[in-house]
Amino acid sequence: MTTFDTSDAIYVRELGIDDIAPVYHLGEELFTSDLYPYLYRTWDEWEVIGLYNTDPEYCLVAETSGELAGFILGTIITKASWTYGYILWLGVNPKYQRQGVADKLVDKVVSRMIEDGARFMLVDTDPTNVAAVKFFNRKGFGNIREHIFLSMNLSKHPHYGRLIDYEHQKAERAGYRRSRPTIRPRKSDGVANELVLNPLVNEPQIIEDQK
């Protein structure tokens, strides 16, 4: 009986403009708030669009039978004495997991980064993503450093309260200007009275517009 190696049918190429939406939606399925809250909060369509515009050579997709099997998004970071390759996102369609998709994507992007002068590679993931940690260890990544995330509720910050008060006052002033009756000069007083009355009507509005 002849066996079919599914990995031979996986084709890796550069991400194209028509791949942006499918890659984004696959990322939505993979980086969920239930599993990886911090990854989920940073994954959006601009992650894909931004890297596609700045680093297209390190944004690759794997496909098989015309279907998206996975993607990898990376970038190059150049410092004074080192050039770093950084894998920001790696996702595999659940239908094609354990078929070598991630291996092909990582191998391809690493080889490209080496050719472009990278001598050091970085990748990060949620520490609870044990499968990803094991995978990258197998690919030669080590020296694990865990991230510490700190947060602050800005609605309790003093500046936030001052901003809200300012917006309320601004809205009240705008409402006052709309409801204030218009002062009309008397027609029989001539030009002299118009010159006196007009500044009283127009000057507060000019001041408000300049704020």
Side-chain angles (χ1 to χ4, degrees):
M1 180 178 176
T2 303
T3 58
F4 176 70
D5 185 2
T6 55
S7 64
D8 291 340
I10 297 169
Y11 174 62
V12 175
R13 59 172 175 79
E14 287 190 9
L15 182 144
I17 192 167
D18 292 334
D19 300 310
I20 290 176
V23 165
Y24 167 65
H25 292 305
L26 178 56
E28 276 190 314
E29 296 176 17
L30 298 173
F31 311 125
T32 65
S33 59
D34 292 336
L35 292 176
Y36 313 115
Y38 297 110
L39 292 181
Y40 176 80
R41 288 177 187 141
T42 58
W43 176 258
D44 57 35
E45 64 271 25
W46 298 110
E47 288 289 300
V48 187
I49 295 172
L51 289 168
Y52 170 74
N53 286 328
T54 60
D55 298 273
E57 61 271 40
Y58 312 123
C59 298
L60 309 176
V61 296
E63 62 180 6
T64 180
S65 302
E67 186 175 9
L68 178 65
F71 65 87
I72 190 167
L73 307 177
T75 187
I76 286 281
I77 303 171
T78 301
K79 298 293 185 180
S81 57
W82 283 92
T83 297
Y84 297 81
Y86 185 15
I87 297 174
L88 289 92
W89 299 99
L90 173 64
V92 176
N93 189 325
K95 289 173 57 178
Y96 300 103
Q97 290 179 356
R98 301 184 182 275
Q99 295 184 27
V101 175
D103 284 281
K104 285 181 174 290
L105 288 166
V106 171
D107 290 344
K108 184 69 172 179
V109 81
V110 168
S111 64
R112 284 195 171 190
M113 289 180 173
I114 291 174
E115 292 171 1
D116 290 343
R119 295 297 176 263
F120 195 83
M121 285 295 300
L122 296 173
V123 66
D124 59 358
T125 187
D126 193 290
T128 62
N129 192 351
V130 177
V133 174
K134 288 182 177 180
F135 168 78
F136 285 114
N137 281 337
R138 179 169 63 78
K139 299 300 291 183
F141 290 82
N143 191 23
I144 296 175
R145 307 288 181 89
E146 292 192 5
H147 294 278
I148 297 176
F149 290 91
L150 304 176
S151 64
M152 177 174 62
N153 186 346
L154 292 179
S155 64
K156 299 183 181 300
H157 193 280
H159 182 71
Y160 181 84
R162 292 194 294 269
L163 179 62
I164 294 300
D165 290 342
Y166 170 77
E167 292 297 334
H168 286 165
Q169 294 171 8
K170 185 177 178 181
E172 290 175 358
R173 290 197 300 269
Y176 171 73
R177 286 199 303 271
R178 285 193 298 269
S179 61
R180 185 176 52 185
T182 302
I183 301 176
R184 298 179 182 273
R186 290 177 298 176
K187 294 181 180 179
S188 60
D189 287 347
V191 177
N193 280 341
E194 285 191 20
L195 294 175
V196 174
L197 287 173
N198 284 345
L200 294 178
V201 176
N202 296 330
E203 187 172 343
Q205 295 176 351
I206 294 173
I207 293 173
E208 290 295 336
D209 292 340
Q210 293 174 345
K211 287 185 179 180

